[in-house]
Amino acid sequence: MSLNPVLASVTDRLITRSGPTRRRYLDGVRAAEEARAGRAQRGALSCTNLAHACAAMPDAAKARLTGPTGPNLGIVTAYNDMLSAHQPLEQYPALLKAAAERLGATAQVAGGVPAMCDGVTQGYEGMELSLFSRDVIAMGTAIALSHQMFDAALYLGVCDKIVPGLLIGALSFGHLPAVFVPAGPMTSGLANDEKAKVRQLYAEGKVGRDALLASEMASYHGPGTCTFYGTANSNQMLMELLGLHLPGTAFVNPGTPLRQALTEHAAAVAVEIAAGADRYTPIARVIDERAILNAVVGLMATGGSTNHTLHLVAIARAAGIALTWDDFHDLSAVVPLLMRAYPNGKADVNHVQAAGGIGFVMRELIDGGLLHEDVTTILGTGLRAHAKEACLSNSGLDWRDVPAVSADASVLRPLAEPFSADGGLRLLTGPLGRAVIKVSAVKTEHRIVEAPALVFDDQNDLLAAFRRGELERDFIAVVRFQGPRINGMPELHKLTPPLAVLQDRGFRVALVTDGRMSGASGKVPAAIHLSPEASVGGPLAKVRDGDLLRLDAEAGILDVLVPAEVWQGRDVAVPDFSRSVSGIGRDLFGGMRQLATSAETGAMTFAHPLWADADAVAV
């Protein structure tokens, strides 16, 4: 089928808009390739340097590393055993090293990167480090690869900021091939909608902490990714759509024979595409404008996390690609919703896998002309090769066609019978600036809210007002001074249970903020990532209690219904910067807050030379 005309148009304008920065990026990649042409990268090292890099290796590995043959794979790992999604990664380096050795190659753990859990820090001070941890991970990845010992790299990570950070770091070494290796979701526990009900009961004071803890422990109960379709599992979908995973690897449970086989085969593919190999495939060739838009389409079709309106922009910019929220918005209008998983439905990602998996979604989108099929992936040219299901046969690891028909139409649907005709994310614009909203989990009757503003400078002030019974009315909560420049743009998911309680009681409620919401948020309409943020004089700082606001997710409007002369005469509220400058590690991130770009440009903290004179590019 021919390419959808809107996707074709968005692709053309993205390529045009990105021209200068993309050329600069590719020029840098070519320079790096030329510098190592005709030799293994480690051949550029002096004898002393190379000896340092080999000193701890077994004799057989030393011989390969100092000889003329066999690629060396760098492993960058986000392993820790506090984070359930990353605990399985403990065993991966040994598996990858053994698999590489069987192929006459070597593998070394190049470095580790931090992996924090938003589920642990949610609602507390540590969450103010969360978004910026993405950039720390990117820098840690660059440090790991800086030793110039590697011919390809394997990236071990799963969750919210970890995969975007690894990918941004990998793109700074665009001449190196890259294979991403996930751990998979934990097995299903307490149903996510049941967990949400207990959270609301706790918010209302109807159950105690013991009942809440029992519910949460029954949901988050073992190794692997949390099973709801939040940012972590949206990451895994994106890696499939970008062609950086082995096909069908995203939602295979850890600790299974299939997961081990996929992990070991990742090393084999890395060897096949390493520098010097016949099928050399640097990551700069995989991540181009078409691949980035494939990822955006996948996000829309699956109702993925709002966090990726930040992360995908930042990833694209790391490759010299000028992705904007208008691109998301225009694609959302033509990409139908094909998947329902909590918070957009009752299913978890294990149910998605059983119904046909991400491969089913990819096949439907390719057949419908809504994906660029002719892209480069780690398997070669053509995304259709990734629309497969991994399995074990008598001969070992294999791939088969995804089911022709969804095994559960309440979870996955074909393009001809979508859950909705458009995607899960939309752009809101108006006198307050530009924001995004996730509508895939918001019922139609809640998508337009016109109500007085109640203004809070801290999420805890809103929670306290709820506990005092002061919010039993129609209102739009304005939670300002939550942008990247003032406090690192924390998620405000702790607000979801009380706002959901009020909505269920029949009140018209919504949230407007320059902060973030969790990828698990959904049923309450929330205009988030509002740019420009209030702390730099954005219009949100002019809103006062009682101002009539209108959030219209259908028309894409975020309006303040205040007389023009009153609005223009308003002073901008001044934030209290002292709240977030120190304590719990925040004092170490002051420089990053000062450098942070707007949410729409990815909330990046790098003074990236690619963009030094390009940020005036028209949206």
Side-chain angles (χ1 to χ4, degrees), residues 19-371:
T21 48
R22 181 66 176 169
R23 282 193 295 273
R24 283 201 287 270
Y25 174 74
L26 293 176
D27 286 346
V29 171
R30 280 190 290 271
E33 289 175 332
E34 291 168 2
R36 58 174 293 158
R39 64 174 184 247
Q41 182 167 341
R42 58 189 178 278
L45 298 177
S46 74
C47 294
T48 301
N49 297 124
L50 187 56
H52 273 292
C54 300
M57 301 295 286
D59 288 344
K62 284 181 180 178
R64 285 193 295 273
L65 287 168
T66 56
T69 61
N72 186 34
L73 311 179
I75 301 170
V76 182
T77 177
Y79 163 73
N80 67 55
D81 64 7
M82 183 276 292
L83 186 51
S84 65
H86 291 76
Q87 186 269 350
L89 301 179
E90 180 180 16
Q91 307 303 323
Y92 280 24
L95 293 173
L96 294 167
K97 288 178 182 182
E101 185 176 355
R102 290 193 291 271
L103 297 167
T106 51
Q108 295 177 293
V109 175
V113 297
M116 67 177 289
C117 180
D118 291 355
V120 178
T121 59
Q122 193 68 247
Y124 294 93
E125 295 90 343
M127 176 54 77
E128 296 182 13
L129 310 186
S130 171
L131 178 59
F132 290 165
S133 76
R134 180 196 68 193
D135 294 3
V136 172
I137 290 162
M139 291 186 284
T141 300
I143 291 169
L145 298 176
S146 67
H147 300 94
Q148 301 188 75
M149 278 290 293
F150 309 111
D151 304 294
L154 295 152
Y155 299 92
L156 315 185
V158 179
C159 285
D160 295 16
K161 267 61 63 185
I162 293 90
V163 168
L166 289 170
L167 184 46
I168 291 168
L171 286 165
S172 72
F173 285 76
H175 62 290
L176 283 183
V179 178
F180 278 67
V181 188
M186 68 179 70
T187 56
S188 299
L190 179 71
N192 284 297
D193 60 338
E194 292 299 318
K195 173 190 68 181
K197 289 176 185 176
V198 177
R199 287 179 175 178
Q200 287 192 210
L201 290 171
Y202 180 76
E204 294 177 276
K206 294 180 178 179
V207 300
R209 179 181 169 88
D210 55 345
L212 178 64
L213 183 58
S215 168
E216 299 293 327
M217 294 290 284
S219 180
Y220 308 116
H221 63 89
T225 317
C226 307
T227 60
F228 63 83
Y229 192 57
T231 310
N233 285 314
S234 295
N235 281 340
Q236 303 316 303
M237 176 277 298
L238 292 176
M239 295 303 104
E240 302 264 332
L241 269 291
L242 289 170
L244 291 170
H245 269 179
L246 293 178
T249 195
F251 299 151
V252 175
N253 301 126
T256 60
L258 179 56
R259 172 54 70 193
Q260 179 169 333
L262 286 164
T263 301
E264 292 172 340
H265 193 66
V269 172
V271 169
E272 290 175 6
I273 65 175
D278 292 340
R279 205 164 63 77
Y280 168 57
T281 309
I283 191 173
R285 195 180 300 168
V286 175
I287 303 301
D288 63 9
E289 294 91 341
R290 296 170 303 158
I292 288 292
L293 292 179
N294 282 349
V296 174
V297 168
L299 193 70
M300 301 302 171
T302 60
S305 170
T306 54
N307 279 321
H308 283 296
T309 61
L310 303 172
H311 298 324
L312 271 175
V313 171
I315 290 164
R317 287 169 71 87
I321 299 168
L323 184 68
T324 72
W325 286 351
D326 293 277
D327 301 324
F328 286 82
H329 183 75
D330 291 350
L331 290 175
S332 184
V334 297
V335 176
L337 184 67
L338 304 184
M339 185 177 115
R340 280 207 182 277
Y342 186 84
N344 303 329
K346 293 184 178 182
D348 66 25
V349 295
N350 292 311
H351 302 133
V352 171
Q353 182 75 352
I358 297 300
F360 180 94
V361 176
M362 293 173 69
R363 194 262 325 275
E364 292 296 305
L365 293 170
I366 291 170
D367 288 350
L370 285 166
L371 286 175

Side-chain angles (χ1 to χ4, degrees), residues 196-197 200 342-344 438-447 493 496-497 499-505 509-510 517 520-526:
K197 289 176 185 176
Q200 287 192 210
Y342 186 84
N344 303 329
K438 183 175 181 177
V439 295
S440 53
V442 179
K443 292 181 178 179
T444 303
E445 60 267 29
H446 297 309
R447 293 184 180 181
H493 184 47
T496 298
L499 292 175
V501 166
L502 295 167
Q503 181 174 274
D504 288 350
R505 289 176 182 171
V509 296
M517 290 295 281
S521 303
K523 66 185 284 185
V524 177

Side-chain angles (χ1 to χ4, degrees), residues 131 134 306-314 317 323-325 328 434-436 482-485 489 513-516 528-533 596-604:
L131 178 59
R134 180 196 68 193
T306 54
N307 279 321
H308 283 296
T309 61
L310 303 172
H311 298 324
L312 271 175
V313 171
R317 287 169 71 87
L323 184 68
T324 72
W325 286 351
F328 286 82
R434 291 160 63 89
V436 295
Q482 304 299 311
R485 283 213 163 212
M489 205 179 188
T513 181
D514 48 5
R516 296 185 294 132
I528 61 175
H529 306 175
L530 189 62
S531 299
E533 65 178 277
T597 65
S598 70
E600 187 161 7
T601 53
M604 300 182 77

